[in-house]
Amino acid sequence: MHPREALERVVYLLDRSLADGNKVRAYVRAMEIVDEVGDRELARLHERGELTELAGIGKSTGAVIADALDGKVPKRIAELDIVVASVHSKLSMDSKDMTKRMVMAVASPHVDILGHCTGQKVPGKMRPIGQSDFAGRAGSQFDADMVFAACERFDTAIEINCRPERQDPPDELLDLALEWGCRIAIDTDAHAPGQLEWQAFGCDRAARHDIATDRIVNTLPADDLLHWAAAHPTA
């Protein structure tokens, strides 16, 4: 997990628990510092034990950053039934670095699904009632063969994202994932209850690509789904 994503997770958990606002702001500021400093300098400072010498990085925020750089799993993740890993920051980073970042994520035995793999947003005016026109965003660049090979190796499913503006993965990448033998998850990416109705969009895409239902992890009975998620290989 990237340090910024680890800090974002902490902010989410703090907000959910109604933690003190000053504490939340400290982690938000740490996220900004991570963006400003950059990955290489963070790695150099961590190697020298100097993360807390950055103005605004204290003992707690520094520990979260260090754990992320060391590849340690943040606390409440190993305990979750299903984990979806998605790239939410630095979508324009170098293809080689993005590939490494994604492979490290899907190789984790605690990660079950790779979410909206390109991060693209498709512009358009065809939308559900109540949603405004959405602007486009180019997807990130990565070695899709390498990422999907890792997903197949570690039995991490590829998400078909049902949000109308995402259409992620694009058809050609979805076909490539299927060629590699990857499992599929059909996820609404809902941010509100009404958006759960978007599930049909993903199901339609799966049907158009002739994906067998036994290859789609969220068609499994609950016990079988949990057994699959707990059985990912570690090497």
Side-chain angles (χ1 to χ4, degrees):
M1 178 176 288
H2 189 272
R4 192 185 202 285
E5 292 171 321
L7 291 165
E8 283 179 328
R9 178 64 180 168
V10 174
V11 169
Y12 170 83
L13 295 173
L14 290 174
D15 281 337
R16 192 179 69 177
S17 64
L18 299 179
D20 178 75
N22 290 328
K23 188 172 185 180
V24 175
R25 283 190 287 274
Y27 279 92
V28 172
R29 176 55 184 150
M31 289 162 52
E32 295 171 350
I33 293 169
V34 164
D35 289 340
E36 294 167 3
V37 171
D39 293 347
R40 291 184 180 179
E41 180 64 7
L42 275 183
R44 186 188 72 81
L45 291 170
H46 176 46
E47 185 177 346
R48 298 175 63 173
E50 297 176 353
L51 283 172
T52 54
E53 293 188 14
L54 285 169
I57 300 297
K59 183 178 179 180
S60 297
T61 53
V64 172
I65 295 170
D67 283 350
L69 290 171
D70 289 335
K72 295 181 180 177
V73 179
K75 185 177 180 183
R76 282 188 65 259
I77 287 181
E79 299 173 0
L80 297 176
D81 291 332
I82 302 293
V83 175
V84 181
S86 307
V87 176
H88 287 102
S89 62
K90 300 194 175 186
L91 293 174
S92 61
M93 71 190 305
D94 174 80
S95 175
K96 181 178 179 181
D97 291 334
M98 180 64 81
T99 300
K100 179 180 179 182
R101 180 182 179 189
M102 295 172 72
V103 168
M104 289 180 65
V106 303
S108 168
H110 301 291
V111 171
D112 306 301
I113 300 166
L114 175 63
H116 51 69
C117 63
T118 74
Q120 74 171 8
K121 289 187 177 180
V122 179
K125 295 184 178 181
M126 298 299 293
R127 58 193 186 277
I129 295 174
Q131 182 173 326
S132 60
D133 294 349
F134 38 82
R137 181 175 69 196
S140 59
Q141 299 298 308
F142 57 92
D143 185 331
D145 280 300
M146 186 172 292
V147 170
F148 295 154
C151 287
E152 192 281 330
R153 169 67 184 83
F154 295 100
D155 204 15
T156 301
I158 303 296
E159 177 190 78
I160 292 179
N161 190 287
C162 300
R163 293 188 72 87
E165 74 272 32
R166 286 200 179 274
Q167 300 179 37
D168 206 359
D171 287 332
E172 65 274 13
L173 289 188
L174 179 54
D175 285 336
L176 183 61
L178 295 172
E179 288 177 18
W180 273 105
C182 298
R183 294 181 190 258
I184 299 297
I186 303 177
D187 303 337
T188 61
D189 197 355
H191 293 188
Q195 296 173 4
L196 292 170
E197 296 182 17
W198 290 344
Q199 188 80 15
F201 299 160
C203 293
D204 286 346
R205 286 198 71 202
R208 290 198 301 271
H209 286 262
D210 295 322
I211 302 174
T213 55
D214 60 3
R215 196 169 179 175
I216 301 170
V217 297
N218 48 331
T219 67
L220 297 171
D223 288 344
D224 291 346
L225 178 63
L226 295 177
H227 176 77
W228 165 74
H232 296 311
T234 58

